[in-house]
Amino acid sequence: MDLIQNVFDVIDFRSFSNAWYWMVVAILWSTSSYWVVGVPYDLIQRAEREHGDAFTDMQAVVIVYVRRTLSIVRQSAVFLIGFMCFILAMLITFAVFYQKEFAQALLLLMVPLFGLGALNVRTALKIEAEGVGSDTIFRRLRRHRLMVQAIGMFSIFITATYGMFYNLAVLHAF
């Protein structure tokens, strides 16, 4: 019985007081910031420094990601938007009306991710329109990464603030 209780304590659904949740938040935003429009940021830096083969590789990866993203969006945008709205409505219902902590934690993760998805589509459309010329592509990818980092910082701030409020007010009844 003690072993089972320990297992459930480790994988607990209390999110804001659980170290696993905060590790997921940190990994999510560091990964989102590292992969800029599907391209690892170190490849972008190397391509900007060295040009040559690194630039050609970066261009190829950007072209593949842009084509793939826009193909998915153009074929199934209505279904994707409907599915995301369903997930969002479900999370809002459980988080706001039923006051479920796990749903609140997922909502604080998913809303910014939906924004990142829209930002990726917007950037892919701009890259498709502008092409992958040397000056424009670096400027576009840097701007995209900066926006992702800004969304991440804002999201982490909101999540941490709400998590502290939840832990103080709800769990400890202050």
Side-chain angles (χ1 to χ4, degrees):
M1 182 69 176
D2 204 25
L3 176 67
I4 293 172
Q5 184 62 36
N6 287 339
V7 168
F8 281 116
D9 285 343
V10 170
I11 46 176
D12 192 7
F13 283 116
R14 290 178 306 163
S15 302
F16 298 117
S17 60
N18 196 333
W20 292 106
Y21 177 75
W22 295 107
M23 283 189 253
V24 167
V25 169
I27 291 169
L28 171 81
W29 288 110
S30 65
T31 304
S32 296
S33 176
Y34 178 73
W35 291 93
V36 181
V37 190
V39 182
Y41 191 66
D42 64 316
L43 179 62
I44 296 168
Q45 288 178 320
R46 193 164 29 108
E48 195 169 18
R49 256 191 336 261
E50 299 172 9
H51 290 285
D53 288 339
F55 181 69
T56 306
D57 292 346
M58 186 206 66
Q59 279 182 320
V61 173
V62 168
I63 290 169
V64 166
Y65 182 81
V66 166
R67 285 184 186 159
R68 181 176 176 268
T69 300
L70 294 179
S71 171
I72 291 170
V73 167
R74 288 176 179 144
Q75 288 176 2
S76 58
V78 173
F79 174 75
L80 287 174
I81 290 172
F83 182 72
M84 290 187 316
C85 288
F86 169 74
I87 295 294
L88 190 60
M90 185 179 64
L91 283 175
I92 288 172
T93 301
F94 284 119
V96 175
F97 297 114
Y98 292 114
Q99 297 292 314
K100 298 295 181 186
E101 180 182 359
F102 189 67
Q104 293 168 351
L106 284 179
L107 186 67
L108 288 170
L109 287 176
M110 297 302 285
V111 168
L113 285 181
F114 290 157
L116 283 185
L119 182 64
N120 279 338
V121 170
R122 179 176 158 241
T123 303
L125 286 168
K126 287 186 177 184
I127 289 173
E128 182 186 52
E130 294 173 353
V132 287
S134 62
D135 292 336
T136 59
I137 193 68
F138 290 124
R139 186 176 63 246
R140 176 69 52 209
L141 293 176
R142 264 189 258 113
R143 186 174 301 145
H144 178 83
R145 184 170 192 246
L146 184 65
M147 291 172 74
V148 169
Q149 288 175 333
I151 292 170
M153 287 186 339
F154 184 72
S155 174
I156 290 170
F157 175 76
I158 296 297
T159 303
T161 303
Y162 184 78
M164 285 186 287
F165 166 76
Y166 187 87
N167 284 334
L168 289 175
V170 177
L171 294 181
H172 299 295
F174 284 116

Short mmCIF file of all heavy atoms in Angstrom, two decimals, residues 47-93:
data_model
loop_
_atom_site.label_atom_id
_atom_site.label_comp_id
_atom_site.label_asym_id
_atom_site.label_seq_id
_atom_site.Cartn_x
_atom_site.Cartn_y
_atom_site.Cartn_z
N ALA A 47 24.77 29.32 -40.23
CA ALA A 47 24.52 29.76 -41.61
C ALA A 47 24.78 31.25 -41.76
O ALA A 47 25.31 31.70 -42.78
CB ALA A 47 23.08 29.43 -42.01
N GLU A 48 24.44 32.01 -40.74
CA GLU A 48 24.67 33.46 -40.79
C GLU A 48 26.16 33.79 -40.71
O GLU A 48 26.63 34.72 -41.34
CB GLU A 48 23.91 34.14 -39.65
CG GLU A 48 23.77 35.62 -39.81
CD GLU A 48 22.80 36.22 -38.82
OE1 GLU A 48 22.50 35.58 -37.79
OE2 GLU A 48 22.34 37.34 -39.07
N ARG A 49 26.90 33.01 -39.95
CA ARG A 49 28.35 33.22 -39.79
C ARG A 49 29.13 32.75 -41.00
O ARG A 49 29.98 33.46 -41.53
CB ARG A 49 28.84 32.46 -38.56
CG ARG A 49 29.11 33.27 -37.36
CD ARG A 49 29.86 32.49 -36.27
NE ARG A 49 29.73 31.05 -36.30
CZ ARG A 49 28.89 30.33 -35.55
NH1 ARG A 49 28.09 30.95 -34.73
NH2 ARG A 49 28.85 29.03 -35.63
N GLU A 50 28.86 31.52 -41.43
CA GLU A 50 29.72 30.87 -42.41
C GLU A 50 29.21 30.96 -43.84
O GLU A 50 30.01 30.87 -44.77
CB GLU A 50 29.87 29.38 -42.04
CG GLU A 50 30.51 29.15 -40.71
CD GLU A 50 30.46 27.68 -40.32
OE1 GLU A 50 30.09 26.83 -41.15
OE2 GLU A 50 30.81 27.38 -39.16
N HIS A 51 27.91 31.08 -44.02
CA HIS A 51 27.28 30.97 -45.34
C HIS A 51 27.64 29.63 -45.95
O HIS A 51 27.72 28.66 -45.24
CB HIS A 51 27.64 32.17 -46.23
CG HIS A 51 27.00 33.43 -45.76
ND1 HIS A 51 25.68 33.69 -45.95
CD2 HIS A 51 27.51 34.51 -45.11
CE1 HIS A 51 25.38 34.87 -45.43
NE2 HIS A 51 26.47 35.38 -44.90
N GLY A 52 27.85 29.51 -47.22
CA GLY A 52 28.26 28.25 -47.85
C GLY A 52 27.28 27.13 -47.63
O GLY A 52 26.06 27.28 -47.80
N ASP A 53 27.81 25.97 -47.25
CA ASP A 53 26.99 24.77 -47.06
C ASP A 53 25.98 24.92 -45.93
O ASP A 53 24.85 24.43 -46.03
CB ASP A 53 27.87 23.55 -46.78
CG ASP A 53 28.64 23.10 -48.01
OD1 ASP A 53 28.21 23.44 -49.13
OD2 ASP A 53 29.66 22.41 -47.83
N ALA A 54 26.37 25.60 -44.86
CA ALA A 54 25.45 25.80 -43.74
C ALA A 54 24.23 26.62 -44.18
O ALA A 54 23.10 26.33 -43.78
CB ALA A 54 26.16 26.47 -42.58
N PHE A 55 24.47 27.63 -45.00
CA PHE A 55 23.36 28.45 -45.50
C PHE A 55 22.45 27.64 -46.42
O PHE A 55 21.23 27.73 -46.34
CB PHE A 55 23.89 29.69 -46.22
CG PHE A 55 22.81 30.59 -46.74
CD1 PHE A 55 22.00 31.30 -45.86
CD2 PHE A 55 22.56 30.69 -48.09
CE1 PHE A 55 20.99 32.12 -46.32
CE2 PHE A 55 21.55 31.50 -48.57
CZ PHE A 55 20.76 32.22 -47.69
N THR A 56 23.05 26.84 -47.27
CA THR A 56 22.26 25.97 -48.17
C THR A 56 21.43 24.97 -47.37
O THR A 56 20.25 24.75 -47.68
CB THR A 56 23.20 25.22 -49.13
OG1 THR A 56 24.04 26.16 -49.80
CG2 THR A 56 22.42 24.42 -50.15
N ASP A 57 22.03 24.38 -46.33
CA ASP A 57 21.29 23.45 -45.47
C ASP A 57 20.13 24.15 -44.78
O ASP A 57 19.01 23.62 -44.72
CB ASP A 57 22.22 22.84 -44.42
CG ASP A 57 23.26 21.91 -45.01
OD1 ASP A 57 23.10 21.52 -46.19
OD2 ASP A 57 24.23 21.59 -44.30
N MET A 58 20.40 25.35 -44.26
CA MET A 58 19.35 26.09 -43.57
C MET A 58 18.22 26.44 -44.53
O MET A 58 17.04 26.28 -44.19
CB MET A 58 19.90 27.35 -42.93
CG MET A 58 18.86 28.06 -42.08
SD MET A 58 19.12 29.81 -41.90
CE MET A 58 18.86 30.41 -43.54
N GLN A 59 18.56 26.88 -45.73
CA GLN A 59 17.54 27.20 -46.72
C GLN A 59 16.68 25.98 -47.04
O GLN A 59 15.45 26.09 -47.12
CB GLN A 59 18.17 27.71 -48.01
CG GLN A 59 18.57 29.15 -47.98
CD GLN A 59 19.13 29.57 -49.33
OE1 GLN A 59 19.88 28.83 -49.95
NE2 GLN A 59 18.76 30.77 -49.76
N ALA A 60 17.33 24.84 -47.19
CA ALA A 60 16.59 23.61 -47.52
C ALA A 60 15.63 23.24 -46.39
O ALA A 60 14.47 22.89 -46.65
CB ALA A 60 17.57 22.47 -47.79
N VAL A 61 16.09 23.33 -45.16
CA VAL A 61 15.23 22.98 -44.03
C VAL A 61 14.07 23.97 -43.92
O VAL A 61 12.92 23.57 -43.68
CB VAL A 61 16.04 22.93 -42.72
CG1 VAL A 61 15.14 22.75 -41.52
CG2 VAL A 61 17.08 21.84 -42.77
N VAL A 62 14.33 25.25 -44.12
CA VAL A 62 13.27 26.25 -44.06
C VAL A 62 12.24 26.00 -45.16
O VAL A 62 11.03 26.03 -44.91
CB VAL A 62 13.85 27.69 -44.17
CG1 VAL A 62 12.74 28.71 -44.40
CG2 VAL A 62 14.62 28.04 -42.92
N ILE A 63 12.71 25.73 -46.36
CA ILE A 63 11.78 25.48 -47.48
C ILE A 63 10.91 24.25 -47.19
O ILE A 63 9.69 24.28 -47.40
CB ILE A 63 12.57 25.32 -48.80
CG1 ILE A 63 13.14 26.67 -49.22
CG2 ILE A 63 11.68 24.74 -49.90
CD1 ILE A 63 14.13 26.60 -50.36
N VAL A 64 11.53 23.19 -46.70
CA VAL A 64 10.76 21.97 -46.39
C VAL A 64 9.73 22.25 -45.31
O VAL A 64 8.56 21.86 -45.42
CB VAL A 64 11.71 20.82 -45.96
CG1 VAL A 64 10.94 19.68 -45.33
CG2 VAL A 64 12.52 20.33 -47.14
N TYR A 65 10.13 22.95 -44.25
CA TYR A 65 9.19 23.22 -43.15
C TYR A 65 8.06 24.13 -43.62
O TYR A 65 6.90 23.90 -43.28
CB TYR A 65 9.91 23.84 -41.96
CG TYR A 65 8.98 24.08 -40.81
CD1 TYR A 65 8.64 23.04 -39.95
CD2 TYR A 65 8.39 25.31 -40.59
CE1 TYR A 65 7.76 23.23 -38.91
CE2 TYR A 65 7.50 25.52 -39.56
CZ TYR A 65 7.19 24.48 -38.73
OH TYR A 65 6.31 24.67 -37.71
N VAL A 66 8.39 25.17 -44.38
CA VAL A 66 7.35 26.09 -44.86
C VAL A 66 6.36 25.36 -45.76
O VAL A 66 5.15 25.50 -45.59
CB VAL A 66 8.00 27.30 -45.59
CG1 VAL A 66 6.99 28.08 -46.39
CG2 VAL A 66 8.69 28.20 -44.58
N ARG A 67 6.86 24.56 -46.68
CA ARG A 67 5.96 23.81 -47.57
C ARG A 67 5.09 22.84 -46.78
O ARG A 67 3.90 22.70 -47.03
CB ARG A 67 6.76 23.04 -48.61
CG ARG A 67 7.30 23.92 -49.70
CD ARG A 67 8.00 23.09 -50.74
NE ARG A 67 8.64 23.94 -51.72
CZ ARG A 67 9.63 23.55 -52.50
NH1 ARG A 67 10.09 22.32 -52.42
NH2 ARG A 67 10.16 24.38 -53.36
N ARG A 68 5.71 22.16 -45.83
CA ARG A 68 4.97 21.17 -45.02
C ARG A 68 3.89 21.86 -44.20
O ARG A 68 2.75 21.42 -44.15
CB ARG A 68 5.95 20.44 -44.12
CG ARG A 68 5.32 19.38 -43.26
CD ARG A 68 6.40 18.64 -42.47
NE ARG A 68 5.80 17.69 -41.59
CZ ARG A 68 5.46 17.95 -40.33
NH1 ARG A 68 5.70 19.12 -39.81
NH2 ARG A 68 4.91 17.02 -39.57
N THR A 69 4.25 22.94 -43.53
CA THR A 69 3.30 23.67 -42.69
C THR A 69 2.14 24.20 -43.52
O THR A 69 0.97 24.02 -43.16
CB THR A 69 4.00 24.82 -41.96
OG1 THR A 69 5.03 24.30 -41.14
CG2 THR A 69 3.03 25.61 -41.11
N LEU A 70 2.45 24.86 -44.61
CA LEU A 70 1.39 25.45 -45.42
C LEU A 70 0.54 24.40 -46.11
O LEU A 70 -0.66 24.60 -46.31
CB LEU A 70 1.99 26.43 -46.43
CG LEU A 70 2.65 27.67 -45.79
CD1 LEU A 70 3.23 28.56 -46.85
CD2 LEU A 70 1.68 28.41 -44.90
N SER A 71 1.14 23.26 -46.44
CA SER A 71 0.36 22.16 -47.02
C SER A 71 -0.66 21.64 -46.02
O SER A 71 -1.84 21.43 -46.36
CB SER A 71 1.29 21.04 -47.46
OG SER A 71 0.57 19.90 -47.82
N ILE A 72 -0.22 21.44 -44.79
CA ILE A 72 -1.13 20.96 -43.74
C ILE A 72 -2.23 21.98 -43.49
O ILE A 72 -3.42 21.63 -43.39
CB ILE A 72 -0.36 20.66 -42.44
CG1 ILE A 72 0.54 19.43 -42.64
CG2 ILE A 72 -1.31 20.45 -41.27
CD1 ILE A 72 1.52 19.21 -41.51
N VAL A 73 -1.87 23.25 -43.41
CA VAL A 73 -2.85 24.29 -43.14
C VAL A 73 -3.85 24.41 -44.29
O VAL A 73 -5.05 24.53 -44.06
CB VAL A 73 -2.14 25.64 -42.87
CG1 VAL A 73 -3.12 26.80 -42.91
CG2 VAL A 73 -1.43 25.60 -41.53
N ARG A 74 -3.36 24.36 -45.51
CA ARG A 74 -4.25 24.52 -46.66
C ARG A 74 -5.18 23.32 -46.85
O ARG A 74 -6.29 23.47 -47.36
CB ARG A 74 -3.43 24.78 -47.92
CG ARG A 74 -2.83 26.16 -47.91
CD ARG A 74 -1.93 26.42 -49.08
NE ARG A 74 -1.42 27.79 -49.00
CZ ARG A 74 -0.21 28.15 -49.36
NH1 ARG A 74 0.64 27.25 -49.85
NH2 ARG A 74 0.17 29.41 -49.25
N GLN A 75 -4.75 22.15 -46.43
CA GLN A 75 -5.59 20.96 -46.61
C GLN A 75 -6.59 20.77 -45.47
O GLN A 75 -7.69 20.26 -45.70
CB GLN A 75 -4.72 19.71 -46.71
CG GLN A 75 -3.97 19.63 -48.01
CD GLN A 75 -3.03 18.42 -48.05
OE1 GLN A 75 -2.98 17.65 -47.11
NE2 GLN A 75 -2.30 18.29 -49.14
N SER A 76 -6.20 21.14 -44.26
CA SER A 76 -7.08 20.81 -43.14
C SER A 76 -7.21 21.94 -42.12
O SER A 76 -7.35 21.67 -40.93
CB SER A 76 -6.55 19.55 -42.45
OG SER A 76 -5.22 19.76 -42.02
N ALA A 77 -7.21 23.17 -42.57
CA ALA A 77 -7.30 24.30 -41.65
C ALA A 77 -8.62 24.30 -40.89
O ALA A 77 -8.64 24.55 -39.68
CB ALA A 77 -7.13 25.61 -42.40
N VAL A 78 -9.72 24.03 -41.57
CA VAL A 78 -11.02 24.06 -40.91
C VAL A 78 -11.10 23.00 -39.82
O VAL A 78 -11.54 23.28 -38.70
CB VAL A 78 -12.15 23.88 -41.95
CG1 VAL A 78 -13.50 23.74 -41.27
CG2 VAL A 78 -12.16 25.04 -42.92
N PHE A 79 -10.64 21.79 -40.13
CA PHE A 79 -10.66 20.72 -39.14
C PHE A 79 -9.74 21.07 -37.96
O PHE A 79 -10.12 20.87 -36.81
CB PHE A 79 -10.22 19.41 -39.78
CG PHE A 79 -10.07 18.29 -38.78
CD1 PHE A 79 -11.18 17.67 -38.25
CD2 PHE A 79 -8.81 17.89 -38.35
CE1 PHE A 79 -11.06 16.66 -37.31
CE2 PHE A 79 -8.68 16.88 -37.41
CZ PHE A 79 -9.80 16.25 -36.89
N LEU A 80 -8.53 21.56 -38.23
CA LEU A 80 -7.60 21.91 -37.16
C LEU A 80 -8.14 23.01 -36.26
O LEU A 80 -8.05 22.92 -35.03
CB LEU A 80 -6.25 22.34 -37.74
CG LEU A 80 -5.38 21.24 -38.32
CD1 LEU A 80 -4.15 21.83 -38.99
CD2 LEU A 80 -4.97 20.27 -37.23
N ILE A 81 -8.69 24.03 -36.84
CA ILE A 81 -9.25 25.14 -36.04
C ILE A 81 -10.44 24.64 -35.21
O ILE A 81 -10.57 24.98 -34.04
CB ILE A 81 -9.63 26.32 -36.94
CG1 ILE A 81 -8.36 26.97 -37.49
CG2 ILE A 81 -10.46 27.35 -36.18
CD1 ILE A 81 -8.60 28.02 -38.55
N GLY A 82 -11.30 23.82 -35.82
CA GLY A 82 -12.43 23.27 -35.08
C GLY A 82 -11.97 22.39 -33.93
O GLY A 82 -12.51 22.47 -32.81
N PHE A 83 -10.97 21.55 -34.17
CA PHE A 83 -10.46 20.68 -33.11
C PHE A 83 -9.81 21.50 -32.00
O PHE A 83 -10.02 21.22 -30.81
CB PHE A 83 -9.45 19.68 -33.70
CG PHE A 83 -8.91 18.71 -32.69
CD1 PHE A 83 -9.71 17.70 -32.20
CD2 PHE A 83 -7.61 18.83 -32.24
CE1 PHE A 83 -9.23 16.80 -31.26
CE2 PHE A 83 -7.11 17.94 -31.31
CZ PHE A 83 -7.92 16.92 -30.81
N MET A 84 -9.03 22.52 -32.36
CA MET A 84 -8.40 23.36 -31.34
C MET A 84 -9.45 24.12 -30.54
O MET A 84 -9.31 24.28 -29.32
CB MET A 84 -7.39 24.32 -31.98
CG MET A 84 -6.17 23.62 -32.50
SD MET A 84 -4.84 24.68 -33.11
CE MET A 84 -5.64 25.88 -34.08
N CYS A 85 -10.50 24.59 -31.18
CA CYS A 85 -11.57 25.28 -30.46
C CYS A 85 -12.30 24.32 -29.51
O CYS A 85 -12.66 24.72 -28.40
CB CYS A 85 -12.55 25.91 -31.44
SG CYS A 85 -11.88 27.35 -32.28
N PHE A 86 -12.48 23.08 -29.94
CA PHE A 86 -13.10 22.09 -29.07
C PHE A 86 -12.24 21.84 -27.83
O PHE A 86 -12.74 21.84 -26.71
CB PHE A 86 -13.32 20.78 -29.83
CG PHE A 86 -13.70 19.63 -28.94
CD1 PHE A 86 -14.97 19.55 -28.40
CD2 PHE A 86 -12.77 18.64 -28.64
CE1 PHE A 86 -15.33 18.49 -27.57
CE2 PHE A 86 -13.12 17.58 -27.81
CZ PHE A 86 -14.40 17.51 -27.27
N ILE A 87 -10.93 21.64 -28.04
CA ILE A 87 -10.01 21.41 -26.92
C ILE A 87 -10.00 22.62 -25.99
O ILE A 87 -10.07 22.49 -24.77
CB ILE A 87 -8.59 21.11 -27.43
CG1 ILE A 87 -8.56 19.80 -28.21
CG2 ILE A 87 -7.57 21.09 -26.29
CD1 ILE A 87 -8.86 18.58 -27.38
N LEU A 88 -9.94 23.81 -26.58
CA LEU A 88 -9.92 25.03 -25.78
C LEU A 88 -11.21 25.21 -24.99
O LEU A 88 -11.18 25.55 -23.80
CB LEU A 88 -9.68 26.23 -26.69
CG LEU A 88 -9.39 27.56 -26.02
CD1 LEU A 88 -8.13 27.47 -25.17
CD2 LEU A 88 -9.23 28.64 -27.06
N ALA A 89 -12.35 24.95 -25.62
CA ALA A 89 -13.63 25.06 -24.92
C ALA A 89 -13.74 24.04 -23.79
O ALA A 89 -14.23 24.36 -22.69
CB ALA A 89 -14.78 24.87 -25.90
N MET A 90 -13.26 22.83 -24.04
CA MET A 90 -13.28 21.81 -23.00
C MET A 90 -12.39 22.22 -21.82
O MET A 90 -12.79 22.11 -20.65
CB MET A 90 -12.81 20.48 -23.58
CG MET A 90 -12.90 19.32 -22.62
SD MET A 90 -12.37 17.77 -23.36
CE MET A 90 -10.66 18.10 -23.71
N LEU A 91 -11.18 22.71 -22.12
CA LEU A 91 -10.27 23.13 -21.04
C LEU A 91 -10.84 24.32 -20.27
O LEU A 91 -10.74 24.36 -19.04
CB LEU A 91 -8.90 23.49 -21.62
CG LEU A 91 -8.01 22.32 -21.99
CD1 LEU A 91 -6.73 22.82 -22.66
CD2 LEU A 91 -7.67 21.48 -20.77
N ILE A 92 -11.42 25.27 -20.97
CA ILE A 92 -12.02 26.42 -20.28
C ILE A 92 -13.17 25.97 -19.39
O ILE A 92 -13.32 26.44 -18.26
CB ILE A 92 -12.48 27.48 -21.30
CG1 ILE A 92 -11.27 28.17 -21.92
CG2 ILE A 92 -13.40 28.51 -20.66
CD1 ILE A 92 -11.58 29.09 -23.07
N THR A 93 -13.98 25.05 -19.88
CA THR A 93 -15.10 24.55 -19.07
C THR A 93 -14.60 23.90 -17.79
O THR A 93 -15.08 24.21 -16.70
CB THR A 93 -15.94 23.55 -19.89
OG1 THR A 93 -16.42 24.20 -21.06
CG2 THR A 93 -17.09 23.02 -19.07
#
